[in-house]
Amino acid sequence: MAGPSAARRKGPPQDEVLFDRELEDLPPELRWREWMLRAEAVIFASAEPVTRETLARVVGQACSVDLLIDDLREELRTRPYDIVAVAGGWQHRTRTAYGAVIRASAAPTRSASPLSEHEAAVLMAIAYLQPVTRGELSKMFGKEVSRDTIASLHDARFLASGPRSPTPGAPYTYVTTRHFLSVFGLETLRDLPDIERLDDAGLLSRQALEEDAFAERESQALEGD
């Protein structure tokens, strides 16, 4: 027969018992204020965007996370930073109006290491074409996209391996990551600039991207016949 100690072991972890999410002993105004402070503390401390599920661990069931974020953003309206929706969560971000000030200060920041022009171009192509193979990228750029370039973007946590390509040899494809969305301030890939606008600006050609990728796949398929 199990004793009292066994019953205790089956109960919830001690921190689950002690941590009060509901704050039912507080008046509604103070309860809401405490939930706001908790949410901001978690977002401020997190190195990655904070998801709704994460915030739900520190606020009561009756708390609307969306309304909580709205109130926090209203409080920060006159501050040089904001809470923004990126990569499926929320994160503190300095307002763009203060970008020049921060650069002039030469203070170390938490921003990602700068990419070379070639790395940025490869990353942009992957973002629009994903999942895409290194061979398809090389065909598009008219020169080999090296493994070192892919490794550098992977080490920076911008890329992950996607599904194997159905073409002969089943090469790896590459896709962008949640960290990519976070660094570039995107909530989802749907927030990428419209490729037609980039085409009009002469920065990227939708037709070239699609034709080169299709030609590479067709070439690999013919080689396998």
Side-chain angles (χ1 to χ4, degrees), residues 4-214:
S5 61
R8 284 197 297 272
R9 286 197 297 272
K10 291 180 180 179
Q14 188 176 11
D15 61 340
E16 294 287 327
V17 174
L18 296 178
F19 189 77
D20 183 5
R21 293 173 178 78
E22 303 301 330
L23 303 176
E24 292 178 348
D25 58 327
L26 294 179
E29 296 81 4
L30 293 181
R31 182 185 310 137
W32 187 259
R33 183 64 185 169
E34 176 61 20
W35 282 340
M36 286 177 62
L37 293 174
R38 288 180 177 186
E40 186 172 10
V42 172
I43 293 170
F44 181 82
S46 178
E48 297 289 341
V50 176
T51 64
R52 184 183 306 275
E53 292 73 22
T54 298
L55 291 179
R57 296 174 194 152
V58 297
V59 299
Q61 293 182 351
C63 177
S64 167
V65 171
D66 291 313
L67 291 178
L68 204 66
I69 295 296
D70 287 345
D71 282 358
L72 281 171
R73 296 196 66 198
E74 179 61 26
E75 278 202 352
L76 298 175
R77 192 166 52 86
T78 60
R79 308 300 297 166
Y81 46 84
D82 193 8
I83 292 176
V84 298
V86 290
W90 291 278
Q91 194 170 42
H92 271 105
R93 289 291 174 91
T94 305
R95 297 186 189 276
T96 55
Y98 293 90
V101 174
I102 294 170
R103 288 190 293 273
S105 74
T109 67
R110 291 175 293 179
S111 58
S113 300
L115 299 175
S116 69
E117 185 175 339
H118 178 62
E119 287 172 337
V122 170
L123 181 58
M124 182 167 61
I126 293 172
Y128 282 98
L129 286 174
Q130 60 185 305
V132 60
T133 67
R134 190 167 65 89
E136 290 166 350
L137 291 168
S138 298
K139 181 74 173 178
M140 192 197 81
F141 282 98
K143 62 179 181 180
E144 183 183 18
V145 173
S146 71
R147 287 185 172 86
D148 288 342
T149 297
I150 296 297
S152 177
L153 294 172
H154 188 278
D155 291 345
R157 299 165 54 212
F158 290 136
L159 296 186
S161 296
R164 292 274 194 167
S165 171
T167 55
Y172 281 109
T173 63
Y174 298 97
V175 296
T176 53
T177 62
R178 187 166 176 255
H179 182 67
F180 164 82
L181 294 176
S182 173
V183 168
F184 288 92
L186 306 172
E187 189 168 3
T188 71
L189 288 173
R190 290 190 295 273
D191 296 324
L192 281 167
D194 192 330
I195 198 169
E196 275 80 10
R197 287 166 52 198
L198 295 179
D199 195 359
D200 292 342
L203 298 176
L204 192 65
S205 168
R206 171 189 281 275
Q207 184 176 0
L209 283 174
E210 294 177 343
E211 287 181 353
D212 287 337
F214 178 77

